[in-house]
Structures are given as structure tokens and as C-alpha cells.
Amino acid sequence: MRFSIFRICRSQLKTAMGILVVLLAIFSYAPEVLAVEVGYDDPEGNRATAVGAQEGEAPQETPENIVIVIDPGHGGDQEGGMYDAFVEKEMTLITAKAMKEELEQYEGVTVYLTREDDRKMSLEDRVAYAKEKNADMLFCLHYNLSKDHNTLFGAECWVSAFDKYYSEGYSFADIEIKALEELGLYSRGIKTRLNDDGDDYYGIIRHAREQDLTCVLIEHCHMDHGNDRPFCEGRKQWEAFGRLDADCAAKYFHLRSEKLGTDYRDYQTLNVPIPQGVMRPDTTEPDVCMIEVTDQEQDTGMITVSLAAADYDSGMLYYDYSYDGGETFSARYAWADKAADTITFTMQAPPHIIPQIVVRGYNGYDLYTVSNPVTLPSMDYKTEEEIAAELAETEALEAAARAEEAKKLQELDADQKNYVEIRRKQTEDASYTPTVGDFLKICLLCALIVVGAALSAAVFLKSRRMRKRHKKRRKRKK
């Protein structure tokens, strides 16, 4: 019995030891298993994965003094973007000065500007200045606009596609983009771009990497789009961008400020592993873009569309739609939930047409895929303008009828007034009472008439007697 119990205990002990070994093996590989993956392309163009990018790791100890160089984009005869009264070189300088002023309130940091006035500087000179100051990072500030204007909107950050310059730049840009999103701007993402030689496209980033310096180019917003204009209308908002940039830099470098009452020494930054290849931009259209019409209101023209689209490299960014089979398209709209592959939106088709719905889905690099077309029954409804026109026509007819009625009333009123005037005169004549003077006037008039009649009769009689006498004389002569 004792032997049997001993054998059972020994068997259970072996099982427990085996489980312990398995657990140790799992935990020894846990960092790689649990890490957030960051994709990159190796030199041969194959998609690879770098592990270890995760948020929440203990920050590295901050150096005794951090050197930050801020580059206000453009200057001199290089105005940069110009739209309405906005000139990019002026906006970036104001933003850079505000960023410098804010950062200088933190301990253990020295801040420089590549230019403090309106002057032209080459990209090489800007990077050389930052290298001369032994900068820990170079921040290049810009404002954006679209080629055709009022097309694209949102904020974005550009970083190097290579080595630690990608890793460090992406880690800061992650903080910056989140802050701009919290401000209310739409995120266009953190991106790389290559030129025809396979090198970093943006010169300031390329020259910085050549000088062993990490550079992040910040495009704060699009000055020519209605979505972004409320964020960059004037100097106060440009300065607010600078303070936001400074706050993000302070978080990245784990700075503290007694003046501001801010301590970022324990701030958790995103740990992005150094890629083993080139972090190439996405050059392909979205993988999927399909639509389904889920509702159609014939009396209003409202159409509800379910859009399913996905891009497995850079994600979905915008969509636009057409009701005439792709002849014309709407403005671009933000992809409401970037974590979702399917979204629902409503559109209004014009009246008196047969709608042919087509949607374009755009990825993070503004490349699009056209959806399947959907043809719907004719939308024969009246628009608000047509209803308003009909109402206006009805009101015009009613007004004309009222005017005609008023005219008739005026004519009737005129006739009535004439009738009343005649009756008034008749009444006045009927109610007249003669006076003594009137009686005497009548008597005098009658006397004159009698006298006149008597004289006339006397003249007549005399003339008659004269004719008789003349007649007798003629007879006597015969």
C-alpha cells in the first residue's frame, strides 16, 4: 500500500515538473509572442515583420540635456503653400516660435530654430545647423494643401523608411498624431515615402539620416479644406499647434516642468523596433471594395449604402460615391471607424434619374479601388427646390387673383362714390328752402320776361301794320 502511494506521488511529481518546463519555455518566448507587430519590407521586397513594438514599457533614462532643433518649413522666396490669405512660411515660423517658447519652460532641454525670420535656407543648411547643435531630433513643421484644393483633409507625419530613424521617428509621430486627433483633426497616418532611387523622398529627412539625425516632418492640417480650416484660421491657432508639438516632444523625451506643473518622466512611449529592411510605402490599391444598397426612399431620394472595403497594408482612409455610374463623384468622406472593414452611409440621389451607385474606397496613401455598380429603380420625387418653385407659382397666382379682386373692388368703390355724390346733390336740391330774395329775383325775372314778350308782340304788330299799309299803297298805284 505504501509502495503504491509512493509510485502515485512520484508520477504526479513528474507531471508537475513537465508542466513547469513547458511554462518556462512559453514565458521565455512571451516577449516575442505578445509584442505588437510592425510590418516592414526586406531589401528584396518581401513583406516581413518586426516584433517588439509595444506601449507601456519602462522609459529609458533621460539624458542630462536634450537638444531639440525646430525647422519652420520654407522661407524667403519659397513661400510654401498659399491659399486665400494664408502663406505657409509665415504660419510655420509662428508655430515654431511658439513650440520653442513652450519647450524652454522644461528642465534639461535646449531648443534652437533653423531660422528665426523670413529667410531662404537650403535643406542641407537646415540639417547642417541641427547637426552642429548636436540635436537629438529635428522637427520640421509644415501645413498642407491639396493639388486640386478642398480634396484631402487631416494631419499626417512623415518619417524615414530606414533603421533607427524610422523607429525613433515613428515613436514620436505616434504621440503627435494622437494629440492632433484629440484636438479634432482627422489622422492621415504616419507614413514613409521613397524617391525613384529608393531613398527617402523628402530631402530634409534624407539629409538628416545622412548626418545620423532623426527627423520628423509634421503636416499639421490642410489649410484649403473646410474640415481643417477651423483649426488654422489665425495666429492663435498656429501658436496652439506649436504648444501641442512642444507637449508631444516633452512626452517623447520624458521631460518635466515646474513652471507648467507637468512631469512626463514616466510617460509610456511606443517602443518601435528597428526594422531589418526598408519600410516601404503602400503602392497598391485597397484589396477589397464592395457595396450593397440596404434602403431606398422613393419620396426623398435617400439611399443607404453598406460599404465593405479593406487594405491590409495601410488601412482605409476615405471614400466617395457616385450616383451616375462614375461620371461624377461626391467630396471625400472620412472612414468613420478605421478598425472596421464595413461602414454604412446615406446619400441623396437627384430626382428623375435611374441611380447607378458606385463607390471608391481610398487607402492610407490615397490610392483607391472602385466598387461594384448597383442600379436602382427610378427616383421620381420632387426636390425642395421644385416644391419651393411650385409653392412660389401658387402664391403668385393667388396674389394675381387678389390683385384683380382688389381692382374690381376699387372700380366698384369708385362707382359707389359717384352714386353717393349724385344722391348727395339730389338730396341737397330736394331739401332747398327759398328765401325772400330768391322770390324777388324770380319776380324780377318774370317781369323781364313779360316786358320782353310785350315788346316783342308790339314790334310784331307794328311790323304787320306796316306791311298792310305798304300793300294798300301798291294796290292804289295800280
Side-chain angles (χ1 to χ4, degrees):
M1 183 69 177
R2 291 179 182 175
F3 179 75
S4 176
I5 293 173
F6 176 76
R7 290 183 61 184
I8 292 172
C9 292
R10 186 174 62 179
S11 175
Q12 291 177 344
L13 182 62
K14 287 182 178 180
T15 301
M17 290 295 293
I19 292 173
L20 181 60
V21 170
V22 171
L23 290 174
L24 289 173
I26 292 174
F27 281 109
S28 66
Y29 290 99
E32 293 185 11
V33 174
L34 299 177
V36 178
E37 293 187 351
V38 175
Y40 68 89
D41 293 323
D42 64 19
E44 287 72 35
N46 299 318
R47 191 70 180 171
T49 300
V51 298
Q54 53 190 346
E55 195 169 5
E57 295 185 354
Q60 298 179 354
E61 187 175 346
T62 305
E64 292 184 1
N65 186 66
I66 296 295
V67 177
I68 293 174
V69 175
I70 306 168
D71 176 44
H74 309 289
D77 61 0
Q78 297 177 341
E79 288 88 357
M82 299 179 68
Y83 190 78
D84 290 344
F86 297 156
V87 181
E88 187 180 2
K89 68 174 183 178
E90 299 171 358
M91 299 166 67
T92 58
L93 184 58
I94 291 172
T95 301
K97 288 182 177 180
M99 182 180 180
K100 180 177 184 291
E101 181 180 350
E102 185 78 3
L103 273 174
E104 287 177 336
Q105 299 185 66
Y106 287 85
E107 293 96 21
V109 61
T110 303
V111 187
Y112 299 97
L113 298 180
T114 57
R115 67 179 180 93
E116 298 193 29
D117 53 18
D118 184 15
R119 68 175 64 184
K120 181 178 180 179
M121 291 184 67
S122 68
L123 299 178
E124 293 89 344
D125 289 342
R126 297 169 193 253
V127 172
Y129 177 83
K131 187 64 178 178
E132 176 189 339
K133 299 301 181 183
N134 197 26
D136 291 283
M137 189 169 286
L138 173 61
F139 297 100
C140 187
L141 310 186
H142 284 266
Y143 288 87
N144 218 339
L145 49 74
S146 307
K147 179 180 179 181
D148 299 323
H149 295 309
N150 204 35
T151 303
L152 306 178
F153 56 90
E156 61 192 1
C157 289
W158 296 92
V159 300
S160 173
F162 300 91
D163 305 325
K164 68 173 184 177
Y165 314 102
Y166 170 83
S167 174
E168 295 172 355
Y170 196 104
S171 183
F172 166 79
D174 175 70
I175 303 171
E176 177 78 18
I177 284 294
K178 287 178 180 177
L180 291 169
E181 281 187 296
E182 290 175 2
L183 188 65
L185 286 159
Y186 186 59
S187 171
R188 285 177 47 81
I190 306 168
K191 296 181 279 189
T192 64
R193 186 176 180 182
L194 302 178
N195 58 21
D196 294 338
D197 296 329
D199 207 344
D200 285 314
Y201 175 85
Y202 292 104
I204 191 97
I205 295 176
R206 183 174 64 254
H207 296 311
R209 181 171 61 83
E210 292 170 354
Q211 296 295 324
D212 191 25
L213 180 61
T214 298
C215 175
V216 178
L217 191 155
I218 305 170
E219 294 279 10
H220 291 92
C221 65
H222 286 72
M223 66 178 79
D224 61 343
H225 197 284
N227 281 25
D228 293 1
R229 279 292 288 270
F231 298 94
C232 63
E233 285 288 359
R235 186 185 188 93
K236 289 184 178 180
Q237 291 167 301
W238 306 338
E239 291 175 342
F241 275 124
R243 289 189 292 271
L244 180 146
D245 298 340
D247 188 66
C248 294
K251 289 176 180 178
Y252 176 79
F253 287 109
H254 306 102
L255 304 178
R256 66 183 293 271
S257 171
E258 288 188 4
K259 293 180 181 179
L260 301 175
T262 304
D263 191 343
Y264 292 128
R265 288 177 295 179
D266 294 329
Y267 185 83
Q268 303 299 317
T269 58
L270 183 68
N271 182 23
V272 182
I274 298 175
Q276 299 304 308
V278 181
M279 297 300 292
R280 299 182 184 280
D282 185 4
T283 58
T284 59
E285 297 80 10
D287 302 276
V288 179
C289 185
M290 298 289 292
I291 61 170
E292 178 185 2
V293 173
T294 59
D295 190 30
Q296 178 184 11
E297 298 179 7
Q298 295 286 349
D299 56 340
T300 63
M302 298 304 298
I303 300 170
T304 303
V305 179
S306 176
L307 168 61
D311 188 294
Y312 302 114
D313 294 319
S314 58
M316 300 304 299
L317 194 61
Y318 304 114
Y319 70 91
D320 58 15
Y321 58 79
S322 171
Y323 52 75
D324 54 13
E327 292 293 326
T328 59
F329 279 88
S330 69
R332 295 188 194 182
Y333 295 91
W335 194 270
D337 183 0
K338 292 181 180 178
D341 290 339
T342 302
I343 61 173
T344 301
F345 67 91
T346 58
M347 57 178 290
Q348 186 175 34
H352 321 306
I353 69 166
I354 299 176
Q356 294 179 300
I357 310 302
V358 173
V359 177
R360 295 186 300 197
Y362 295 79
N363 66 12
Y365 283 82
D366 303 315
L367 303 173
Y368 66 84
T369 295
V370 181
S371 74
N372 56 299
V374 175
T375 302
L376 301 175
S378 175
M379 306 289 277
D380 193 14
Y381 69 95
K382 294 180 180 179
T383 65
E384 293 182 0
E385 292 76 11
E386 290 174 331
I387 295 173
E390 289 183 358
L391 180 60
E393 183 179 358
T394 301
E395 291 178 348
L397 292 174
E398 292 177 352
R402 288 193 298 269
E404 184 65 24
E405 184 68 21
K407 182 179 179 181
K408 291 180 179 179
L409 289 174
Q410 287 177 356
E411 292 175 352
L412 181 61
D413 189 50
D415 293 340
Q416 183 70 19
K417 287 181 178 179
N418 291 335
Y419 174 75
V420 170
E421 183 64 21
I422 293 172
R423 292 293 299 165
R424 184 185 64 77
K425 290 182 179 180
Q426 291 176 347
T427 302
E428 288 178 354
D429 294 341
S431 61
Y432 175 72
T433 303
T435 62
V436 176
D438 294 333
F439 178 74
L440 293 174
K441 290 178 181 178
I442 292 172
C443 291
L444 179 60
L445 179 63
C446 291
L448 290 173
I449 293 172
V450 171
V451 171
L455 290 173
S456 297
V459 171
F460 174 75
L461 291 174
K462 185 177 180 179
S463 174
R464 186 175 181 184
R465 285 195 295 268
M466 291 294 291
R467 285 197 298 272
K468 285 182 178 182
R469 289 175 183 173
H470 181 69
K471 187 176 182 180
K472 286 180 179 181
R473 288 174 182 172
R474 289 178 63 185
K475 286 180 179 182
R476 287 176 186 169
K477 287 180 180 181
K478 292 180 179 181

